[in-house]
Amino acid sequence: MLFRQLEYFVAVASERHFARAAEKCYVSQPALSAAIAKLERELNVTLINRGRSFEGLTPEGERLVVWAKRILAEHDAFKAEVDAVRSGITGTLRLGTVPTASTTASLVLSAFCSAHPLVRVHIGSRLAATELYRRLRDFELDAAIVHAGPDDAHDVNLVPLYRERYVLLSPADMVPSGAATSTWPEAAQLPLALLTPDMRDRQIIDRAFAGHGLTVTAQVETDSVASLFAQAATGNWACIVPHTWLWTSPLGPGVRALEMVEPALTADVALATGSAGPGSPVARALSASAQQLALDEFFDAALMKITLRR
């Protein structure tokens, strides 16, 4: 059995199409098909249901693709380990973040990239936490910045990064002069722009309103926190955002930030890496770097500075 055969098989399982898989692997379709057929003969099983085209994996194929992804990931990690011993950590760090953590990735990466200047970083920031966890388990990502929900966080290693708190961004004329905080019932009285209901932060916000027996209907919904800042800047809407955005998104002169209280909800955010095997050198190095951060102090200082500006 050759690594090339496993690569071709995983590509077919992922693309669900022989021609696209061959193109992805930079090989002719006959050569790809022949390699997979040889793999099936060596294992004495049928891995792919074939008709005139790809018709899905057999039960044996479904089992093998899990092992094949793991074997290929460990093979890549081993090669990276050898390179790291010889010339330091290199390669590409594939980092995913939930959308609301996209701005904090730079803080997580700063010390890491300074210590490992030969590493390139690719960040994907438009995926839900469930998809990020799936990609970690399927070895499609090295690490992810995610909400540390107990339902999703099995089979991964978590390094706590910070605890999100929530602030009301509001046009100044919508809130009392001098106020530094807002309750959820007070916020419910304002015209609101909010994150979309599928996002974890929106679900936390909705539960906070529900705890007061309130259901809010947002006139504007978006999957972008940056868009919420813009909605507040128009003077037409208030919005509720994680306080971790305040350090990088300056407020206009007509916008106020008030901490949400009664209750002051929090959501834990962590760096997740795969728990299968030793993992890649870049993932281990990023995890070690993240453990040295003190992001809660940084974000809380930014929140205090802005809420006191009233």
Side-chain angles (χ1 to χ4, degrees), residues 91-95 109 112-113 119-123:
T92 300
L93 170 69
R94 301 165 300 168
L95 176 66
L109 290 171
F112 168 80
C113 288
V119 174
R120 297 174 62 248
V121 181
H122 179 269
I123 303 173

Side-chain angles (χ1 to χ4, degrees), residues 50 126 304:
R50 298 173 177 84
R126 304 298 297 173
M304 181 175 296

Side-chain angles (χ1 to χ4, degrees), residues 291-303:
Q291 292 178 45
Q292 308 304 313
L293 300 176
L295 294 182
D296 275 323
E297 297 176 11
F298 176 81
F299 292 132
D300 290 348
L303 174 61

Side-chain angles (χ1 to χ4, degrees), residues 5-18 20-22 24-25 32 36 65 72:
Q5 294 170 305
L6 295 179
E7 290 171 357
Y8 293 171
F9 172 61
V10 169
V12 172
S14 174
E15 297 294 328
R16 306 186 68 81
H17 193 277
F18 283 95
R20 289 197 299 269
K24 182 178 181 179
C25 295
L32 178 138
I36 293 176
V65 75
L72 292 173

Side-chain angles (χ1 to χ4, degrees), residues 53-307:
S53 60
F54 177 86
E55 295 184 356
L57 300 180
T58 65
E60 294 84 356
E62 294 285 359
R63 294 290 295 276
L64 178 63
V65 75
V66 175
W67 282 99
K69 289 178 178 179
R70 177 171 295 184
I71 290 168
L72 292 173
E74 293 294 343
H75 178 244
D76 290 343
F78 172 73
K79 291 192 296 183
E81 195 81 56
V82 173
D83 290 340
V85 171
R86 183 171 56 236
S87 57
I89 295 176
T90 60
T92 300
L93 170 69
R94 301 165 300 168
L95 176 66
T97 79
V98 292
T100 53
S102 59
T103 54
T104 59
S106 60
L107 299 173
V108 176
L109 290 171
S110 179
F112 168 80
C113 288
S114 295
H116 308 289
L118 298 180
V119 174
R120 297 174 62 248
V121 181
H122 179 269
I123 303 173
S125 61
R126 304 298 297 173
L127 297 173
T130 52
E131 177 64 11
L132 291 173
Y133 281 118
R134 183 198 68 77
R135 294 192 183 196
L136 276 177
R137 297 187 185 101
D138 284 351
F139 308 101
E140 297 172 16
L141 288 174
D142 298 299
I145 301 175
V146 292
H147 289 99
D151 295 337
D152 302 320
H154 59 279
D155 298 331
V156 297
N157 297 318
L158 294 177
V159 175
L161 291 177
Y162 56 87
R163 182 165 287 179
E164 280 183 341
R165 292 152 66 182
Y166 297 92
V167 295
L168 177 77
L169 298 185
S170 174
D173 59 4
M174 287 188 185
V175 294
S177 176
T181 62
S182 172
T183 66
W184 298 91
E186 289 169 345
Q189 302 302 312
L190 303 176
L192 290 174
L194 296 174
L195 295 169
T196 53
D198 59 306
M199 298 181 71
R200 185 72 61 90
D201 282 289
R202 171 63 185 277
Q203 294 162 9
I204 293 171
I205 289 167
D206 283 345
R207 286 198 296 270
F209 283 121
H212 290 275
L214 300 169
T215 300
V216 298
T217 300
Q219 186 176 12
V220 176
E221 292 183 334
T222 175
D223 62 359
S224 165
V225 178
S227 177
L228 292 181
F229 274 76
Q231 305 304 327
T234 66
N236 296 321
W237 295 280
C239 58
I240 299 173
V241 300
H243 78 307
T244 52
W245 277 70
L246 295 176
W247 74 281
T248 188
S249 301
L251 304 182
V255 178
R256 296 272 308 285
L258 286 71
E259 186 173 3
M260 296 300 303
V261 295
E262 299 180 22
L265 295 182
T266 61
D268 291 326
V269 175
L271 178 73
T273 55
S275 62
S280 67
V282 288
R284 294 202 310 273
L286 180 63
S287 180
S289 176
Q291 292 178 45
Q292 308 304 313
L293 300 176
L295 294 182
D296 275 323
E297 297 176 11
F298 176 81
F299 292 132
D300 290 348
L303 174 61
M304 181 175 296
K305 179 180 179 181
I306 289 176
T307 54

